[in-house]
Amino acid sequence: MSTASSLHTRRKTRNSVMMTLCVVAAGIGLAWLALILGALVYKGAAGLSFDVFTQMTPPPGDAGGLLNAIYGSVVMTVIAVIVGTPIGVLAGTYMAEYGRFSKLTTVVRFINDILLSAPSIIIGLFVYELMVRPMGHFSAIAGAVALAILVIPVVVRTTEDMLNLVPNALREAGTAIGAPRWVVIKSVAYRAALSGIVTGILLSIARISGETAPLLFTALNNQFWSSNLNAPMASLPVTIFQFALSPYEEWQQLAWTGALIITLTVLALSIVARSLTGRREDK
Amino acid sequence: MSAVQEALPAVRGSRDAIVRRFALTDAIFHGMTRAAAILVLVLLGGVAISLFAGSWQALSTFGFSFLTSESWNPVTEKFGALAPIYGTIVTSAIAILIAVPLGIGIAIFLTELCPRPLRRPIGMAVELLAGIPSIIYGIWGLFVLAPFLQTTIQPFIISVFHGIPGLNSLFAGPPYGIGLLTSSLILAIMVLPFITSITKDVFDTVPPVLKESAYGIGCTTWEVTRRVVIPYTRIGIMGGVMLGLGRALGETMAVTFVIGNAHRISTSLFAPATTISATIANEFTEAVGDLYTSSLVALGLILFVITFLILAIARYMLMRIDARTGA
């Protein structure tokens, strides 16, 4: 009897110890992340002002803003999305519709998943070899292509997943009234999966808006206002990288503010994306 | 009646035309989607080929010694990848050692202990944090974590382990703040959300019947987790860990800020070091000479091969658990 009850106590104790450790783990993890976000808001908000959005990046030791960097980021992101989204949506369409059970789809899915988590600096090197070296100079368009290559796997993945969720009865209904396959895809499947596909695009924007590594040696950076796509262009992440590692206090402050702007953008995009699919699940 | 008969051939003709047009447009659309799918393969192939072509000069000059040499001297143009490879592997390994127990702990907390109303918000917060750009972690590491480690933790550890053989060389040297250990900590916090959310997802695939029957014979929560949930999901957890490892190995910006970019192999975890990605990020635009650039591309090729293998293994493991839940 006493051995049984001591075994019981031992098991109970071990359970409490392990469960406490799990709570501690959750506490450490969440506190650590809260610490990072707290520091970001505290340091970033200090430099947040109207000037940040209206002034150019300053020379060392001067006041200024991040206008040209923000502009560059927006331009390159827009081009990347315009280039990457159609390719991603089409590839996802093939995998979920025409070639759902083909061998090609299995291979593409595997390779796409690897591209999805491949180091982005490798993509930067690839675009350097592909565009910068032949052209002989860094350019915004090379940066946009590097970002587009990061957009594609995200969009492929979500498009395929969302089209796979569309019930086959809908497609059969479309086919039964004589619509050809592509009309069924365009007017039935795309429409049913629209919010999911938009989510994928938003997530891909969230992903590339903070990417630094692929821009370092494609778009490089630019201290001045430039809207020439064939020339180096500033971007928010690369500017943050350069300013944060500088010894000048004004630059470091701008780096923190830029970091806050990027984080808020990314979080807002992710939340909007999630609420789109969330509503879908409720239906 | 006769009007209908007269109209029929015309209708049939236009019907054939429409069917032909439909077939053609469908073939075009089919071809476009197929081409886009093949482009994804071409992209990865293109990455491999361009990296190989770009690194050819370095690889043919140094041969196998590129992998085994520690020297990295742009002046004499002697390049070896051993120090960056060492730094990459050590930082990622320590990061995984820290992040895996924490991640599994948080996943257990979320699936077993957390009050139901809090589960979704906390789970969502973890997933949102996975999307924060790595440069944010880097800037925090440089301005907040590194000074903190330099002034408090590192001097303390150095003084504690000062007289213990083995450990004193592991924690030796002046406290710079930046270095191997700081990079590992930053990487750990970066991969934590990935590992947590995948572990939580695979924990959710455990059939409730299995857990309930274990609870039914009187098992404690820990025993159910340890003997039922973790064995059932082992492959999935391993897949998640490998995925986190793949990210840690290739992570660039967060590490570049805090690694110190020193091309040497040091036994001390407090010493500045370098990783493959940090070397490329720091030196690529300033590299003078074809051999220097080519050596950096060769580093990229090594990183590509390592991460490709790790990610392929991770995907294979996660596919296996998907296949089981699908069946």
Side-chain angles (χ1 to χ4, degrees):
Chain A
M1 189 65 208
S2 70
T3 52
S5 76
S6 80
L7 181 64
H8 178 75
T9 323
R10 217 165 54 228
R11 286 176 54 210
K12 278 285 212 192
T13 320
R14 171 174 293 179
N15 185 50
S16 325
V17 169
M18 294 315 291
M19 290 304 124
T20 313
L21 284 180
C22 288
V23 176
V24 170
I28 292 176
L30 291 173
W32 201 341
L33 294 164
L35 222 56
I36 292 180
L37 290 181
L40 185 64
V41 171
Y42 177 72
K43 299 225 181 187
L48 210 52
S49 71
F50 199 59
D51 285 351
V52 171
F53 301 97
T54 55
Q55 304 286 312
M56 302 294 157
T57 47
D62 234 352
L66 293 165
L67 178 62
N68 49 341
I70 295 173
Y71 172 80
S73 274
V74 170
V75 166
M76 285 189 279
T77 305
V78 167
I79 298 175
V81 170
I82 292 174
V83 173
T85 304
I87 298 173
V89 169
L90 284 174
T93 307
Y94 177 80
M95 293 160 74
E97 301 284 341
Y98 287 109
R100 192 180 280 197
F101 303 104
S102 75
K103 234 190 165 73
L104 177 64
T105 297
T106 320
V107 178
V108 172
R109 188 181 298 134
F110 192 73
I111 295 298
N112 187 65
D113 278 350
I114 286 177
L115 268 182
L116 196 62
S117 10
S120 53
I121 195 161
I122 302 274
I123 306 298
L125 281 178
F126 169 57
V127 175
Y128 178 85
E129 295 285 336
L130 188 76
M131 296 182 69
V132 177
R133 199 195 279 268
M135 285 162 70
H137 57 88
F138 300 102
S139 66
I141 200 77
V145 168
L147 294 180
I149 295 176
L150 295 169
V151 167
I152 292 172
V154 183
V155 177
V156 169
R157 182 68 191 267
T158 43
T159 306
E160 195 210 348
D161 286 353
M162 291 304 149
L163 285 176
N164 276 334
L165 288 178
V166 175
N168 266 330
L170 284 182
R171 295 195 185 90
E172 285 158 9
T175 310
I177 57 165
R181 196 100 183 250
W182 73 275
V183 174
V184 173
I185 294 171
K186 179 176 71 81
S187 308
V188 178
Y190 278 170
R191 221 171 268 185
L194 184 65
S195 67
I197 296 174
V198 172
T199 300
I201 297 169
L202 288 178
L203 287 179
S204 73
I205 298 174
R207 158 117 202 247
I208 62 172
S209 54
E211 280 290 355
T212 320
L215 295 175
L216 283 175
F217 25 85
T218 51
L220 202 70
N221 199 353
N222 198 331
Q223 193 73 51
F224 308 103
W225 174 268
S226 164
S227 54
N228 182 0
L229 291 181
N230 205 21
M233 192 181 258
S235 65
L236 210 39
V238 177
T239 305
I240 294 172
F241 178 52
Q242 187 198 341
F243 281 13
L245 287 174
S246 77
Y248 312 110
E249 242 171 68
E250 292 87 353
W251 277 16
Q252 291 181 0
Q253 179 56 55
L254 277 175
W256 275 109
T257 308
L260 180 64
I261 295 173
I262 288 187
T263 309
L264 291 179
T265 313
V266 170
L267 286 180
L269 282 167
S270 314
I271 290 170
V272 171
R274 253 157 243 281
S275 65
L276 271 177
T277 42
R279 218 174 50 214
R280 206 189 140 77
E281 277 158 18
D282 293 341
K283 267 196 260 182
Chain B
M1 185 67 186
S2 68
V4 170
Q5 267 169 352
E6 265 167 37
L8 253 182
V11 169
R12 187 168 297 135
S14 70
R15 185 181 175 276
D16 286 349
I18 288 169
V19 167
R20 262 202 309 278
R21 207 179 69 224
F22 276 180
L24 181 69
T25 45
D26 203 39
I28 291 172
F29 192 62
H30 188 163
M32 277 165 63
T33 58
R34 199 182 157 86
I38 291 171
L39 184 70
V40 173
L41 301 184
V42 172
L43 271 182
L44 197 78
V47 171
I49 291 168
S50 74
L51 287 182
F52 197 73
S55 60
W56 180 247
Q57 195 188 358
L59 294 178
S60 57
T61 308
F62 301 114
F64 192 68
S65 73
F66 186 72
L67 287 177
T68 54
S69 161
E70 196 192 325
S71 74
W72 187 269
N73 193 332
V75 181
T76 59
E77 301 218 302
K78 290 267 177 293
F79 298 105
L82 196 59
I85 294 176
Y86 171 83
T88 304
I89 292 174
V90 169
T91 49
S92 301
I94 298 175
I96 290 295
L97 280 180
I98 299 171
V100 167
L102 275 180
I104 293 180
I106 299 174
I108 295 174
F109 173 78
L110 282 175
T111 48
E112 305 288 344
L113 302 172
C114 187
R116 219 158 256 289
L118 282 179
R119 269 181 209 184
R120 253 184 74 85
I122 295 182
M124 206 171 143
V126 168
E127 278 177 32
L128 285 179
L129 288 162
I132 289 187
S134 58
I135 193 165
I136 309 297
Y137 293 94
I139 193 172
W140 182 80
L142 180 68
F143 286 116
V144 181
L145 182 65
F148 173 72
L149 289 177
Q150 185 178 20
T151 50
T152 55
I153 306 286
Q154 287 187 350
F156 173 73
I157 294 181
I158 290 173
S159 66
V160 166
F161 292 115
H162 182 64
I164 306 170
L167 286 177
N168 62 357
S169 61
L170 202 56
F171 300 107
Y176 290 109
I178 53 177
L180 279 175
L181 190 69
T182 315
S183 308
S184 309
L185 287 173
I186 291 285
L187 282 177
I189 191 68
M190 275 202 65
V191 297
L192 185 60
F194 288 93
I195 295 179
T196 306
S197 75
I198 290 179
T199 310
K200 184 178 125 347
D201 286 349
V202 296
F203 277 3
D204 286 339
T205 66
V206 179
V209 174
L210 282 185
K211 281 160 63 175
E212 282 158 14
S213 41
Y215 280 121
I217 57 167
C219 289
T220 60
T221 311
W222 168 245
E223 283 162 352
V224 172
T225 308
R226 175 74 186 78
R227 305 283 173 201
V228 177
V229 175
I230 290 181
Y232 188 87
T233 54
R234 184 168 288 141
I235 306 169
I237 298 175
M238 285 299 291
V241 171
M242 299 294 261
L243 211 58
L245 182 60
R247 275 203 84 91
L249 288 168
E251 180 42 51
T252 308
M253 298 324 292
V255 176
T256 306
F257 274 102
V258 291
I259 189 79
N261 205 36
H263 279 275
R264 58 166 180 269
I265 296 175
S266 166
T267 51
S268 171
L269 293 179
F270 291 161
T274 193
T275 67
I276 294 176
S277 49
T279 304
I280 301 172
N282 269 320
E283 301 179 19
F284 198 82
T285 47
E286 285 150 26
V288 187
D290 287 343
L291 192 59
Y292 194 176
T293 308
S294 177
S295 300
L296 288 168
V297 179
L299 279 182
L301 181 67
I302 294 169
L303 178 65
F304 177 72
V305 171
I306 297 174
T307 48
F308 184 91
L309 290 176
I310 298 279
L311 292 172
I313 296 170
R315 288 298 168 191
Y316 176 71
M317 287 173 160
L318 290 173
M319 262 157 77
R320 269 179 63 185
I321 201 156
D322 277 350
R324 192 167 61 192
T325 52

